[in-house]
């Protein structure tokens, strides 16, 4: 299965791949059909009126009763019927979206930060299992409960192919759920303007077979692997003595900060900086040295390192799969 980068992943709400997105798409197409039918009827009536006016030299004004009935039917009755149908349809969609989740559904807590996503996997008792950032993995065909929080400003969580938008409000937890019916990568995006780099606050949801998901989750729950080479050992020393350890955590080391993304398994991620860059040695080096050139306003400061230290640090970080 191909797992795409956020820039390559599909983000069309008109190509739903889950039950929630499907009911939203059905409602949209229903509105388009009704709107198109109304437009067609209005244009047809206009054409008939023009043809009649062309053939009749003398205009025939409507009587009082005809005018009253026309205004009442076309301006009150028909719009009221259409709006009633749309309100009932929207309420039915909303009822399906907020339906109670299965008691033992997988729960993922997603916290919005300026401008990245913190992702925590919880067990059925609410205990923490694993942590990652900017990339979510779920089992195919299984409903997944998403608990949404925000640490600073209002964000909004949206995966167009899997669900509708849900706001993330500081001090409040909102719940939604997703289900992917097909394996694949689905792009998500913050949809509430949250500051300068709002547009670069993306994420991906990778839907994989359940066995693959369980294997991946067990690996993510483990602490970071020990360095296997001399360069990796030096790279870990660089990380621990530099400003990196003041913001990031690497479980299994003394770096336990929680200001910025957890890097325990950064080597297994596809992207950096919430989908801004592909996770490769060159881009990771550039991000460490000059993050403001890629994401101005980001809270990530520039880190001054010698060439040797930078190379060892990057080699160590990318070994953390």
């Amino acid at each position: 299965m191909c797992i795409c980068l956020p820039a390559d992943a599909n983000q069309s709400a008109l190509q739903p791949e889950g039950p929630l997105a499907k009911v939203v798409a059905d409602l949209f197409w229903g509105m388009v059909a009704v709107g198109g039918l109304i437009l067609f009827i209005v244009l047809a009536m206009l054409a008939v009126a023009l043809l009649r006016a062309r053939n009749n030299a003398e205009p025939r004004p409507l009587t009082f009763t005809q005018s009253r009935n026309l205004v009442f039917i076309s301006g009150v009755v028909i719009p009221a019927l259409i709006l009633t149908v749309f309100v009932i349809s929207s309420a039915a969609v909303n009822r399906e979206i907020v339906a109670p989740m299965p008691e033992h559904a997988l729960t993922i807590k997603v916290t919005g930060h300026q401008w990245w996503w913190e992702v925590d996997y919880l067990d059925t008792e609410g205990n923490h299992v694993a942590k990652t950032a900017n990339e979510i993995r779920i089992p195919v065909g299984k409903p997944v409960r998403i608990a949404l929080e925000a640490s600073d400003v209002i964000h909004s969580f949206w995966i167009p192919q899997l669900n509708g938008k849900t706001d993330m409000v500081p001090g409040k937890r909102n719940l939604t759920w997703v289900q992917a019916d097909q394996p694949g990568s689905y792009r998500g995006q913050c949809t509430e303007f949250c500051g300068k780099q709002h547009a670069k606050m993306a994420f991906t949801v990778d839907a994989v077979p359940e066995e693959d998901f369980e294997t991946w989750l067990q690996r993510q729950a483990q602490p970071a692997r020990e360095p296997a080479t001399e360069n990796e050992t030096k790279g870990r020393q660089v990380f621990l003595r530099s400003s990196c350890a003041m913001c990031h955590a690497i479980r299994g080391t003394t770096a336990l900060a929680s200001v910025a993304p957890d890097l325990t398994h950064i080597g297994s991620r596809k992207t950096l900086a919430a989908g801004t860059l592909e996770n490769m040695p060159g881009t990771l080096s550039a991000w460490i040295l000059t993050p403001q050139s890629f994401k101005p306003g980001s809270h990530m400061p520039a880190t001054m390192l010698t060439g040797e230290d930078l190379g060892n640090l990057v080699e160590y970080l990318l070994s953390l799969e």
Side-chain angles (χ1 to χ4, degrees):
M1 183 189 65
C2 172
I3 295 181
C4 305
L5 297 174
D8 303 322
N10 198 338
Q11 192 178 306
S12 174
L14 302 182
Q15 296 176 327
E17 293 292 353
L20 289 188
K22 187 175 187 305
V23 295
V24 175
D26 289 345
L27 178 62
F28 169 79
W29 285 118
M31 290 182 172
V32 169
V34 172
L37 179 62
I38 293 172
L39 177 63
F40 174 79
I41 292 174
V42 170
L43 292 177
M45 293 174 67
L46 178 61
V48 170
L50 291 174
L51 288 175
R52 286 185 175 179
R54 184 178 180 183
N55 296 329
N56 295 325
E58 294 294 330
R60 291 188 303 170
L62 297 177
T63 65
F64 172 79
T65 302
Q66 289 174 322
S67 299
R68 182 197 61 189
N69 291 344
L70 177 63
V71 171
F72 181 71
I73 293 174
S74 61
V76 178
V77 176
I78 294 177
L81 288 175
I82 293 173
L83 289 176
T84 300
V85 171
F86 284 164
V87 168
I88 294 174
S89 301
S90 297
V93 170
N94 186 65
R95 183 179 181 182
E96 190 157 346
I97 290 175
V98 301
M101 288 288 299
E103 187 175 349
H104 299 295
L106 169 68
T107 299
I108 302 174
K109 187 181 79 168
V110 179
T111 305
H113 302 269
Q114 285 180 315
W115 293 276
W116 61 282
W117 307 88
E118 180 180 2
V119 183
D120 292 279
Y121 290 79
L122 310 179
D123 63 15
T124 55
E125 303 299 325
N127 300 313
H128 182 270
V129 175
K131 181 187 290 289
T132 183
N134 304 319
E135 296 174 13
I136 300 172
R137 192 164 294 201
I138 61 175
V140 172
K142 296 288 185 179
V144 177
R145 181 188 293 107
I146 308 288
L148 299 169
E149 299 180 1
S151 68
D152 35 41
V153 300
I154 297 176
H155 301 278
S156 191
F157 182 86
W158 189 29
I159 314 164
Q161 287 190 282
L162 299 183
N163 70 346
K165 302 175 184 176
T166 304
D167 281 350
M168 310 167 76
V169 182
K172 181 179 176 62
R173 170 177 286 194
N174 286 335
L175 296 175
T176 186
W177 66 279
V178 300
Q179 177 176 320
D181 292 334
Q182 299 294 332
S185 291
Y186 306 100
R187 189 179 192 274
Q189 173 70 45
C190 178
T191 53
E192 180 76 29
F193 180 73
C194 56
K196 191 173 183 178
Q197 291 300 327
H198 161 70
K200 291 185 176 179
M201 190 171 169
F203 62 96
T204 54
V205 176
D206 294 327
V208 299
E210 187 169 9
E211 289 184 1
D212 293 348
F213 170 78
E214 293 295 341
T215 300
W216 173 85
L217 186 60
Q218 291 177 10
R219 191 166 63 247
Q220 293 293 315
Q222 298 300 315
R225 63 185 283 278
E226 287 296 311
T229 67
E230 183 178 354
N231 287 347
E232 292 176 6
T233 301
K234 291 180 179 178
R236 183 169 69 175
Q237 293 170 350
V238 172
F239 181 89
L240 294 176
R241 71 168 185 262
S242 70
S243 59
C244 303
M246 297 174 65
C247 297
H248 296 280
I250 294 181
R251 284 173 277 129
T253 73
T254 56
L256 299 173
S258 57
V259 177
D262 184 298
L263 302 182
T264 303
H265 297 286
I266 184 177
S268 66
R269 296 177 196 160
K270 298 171 292 183
T271 66
L272 303 167
T276 304
L277 298 168
E278 189 174 358
N279 190 11
M280 303 172 63
T283 52
L284 180 55
S285 299
W287 174 249
I288 291 172
L289 292 177
T290 60
Q292 298 303 312
S293 64
F294 300 100
K295 208 166 182 177
S298 164
H299 299 306
M300 172 85 171
T303 304
M304 297 297 104
L305 297 172
T306 65
E308 181 180 1
D309 284 349
L310 178 63
N312 291 333
L313 175 59
V314 169
E315 186 172 335
Y316 168 63
L317 291 176
L318 292 181
S319 74
L320 302 178
E321 297 184 347

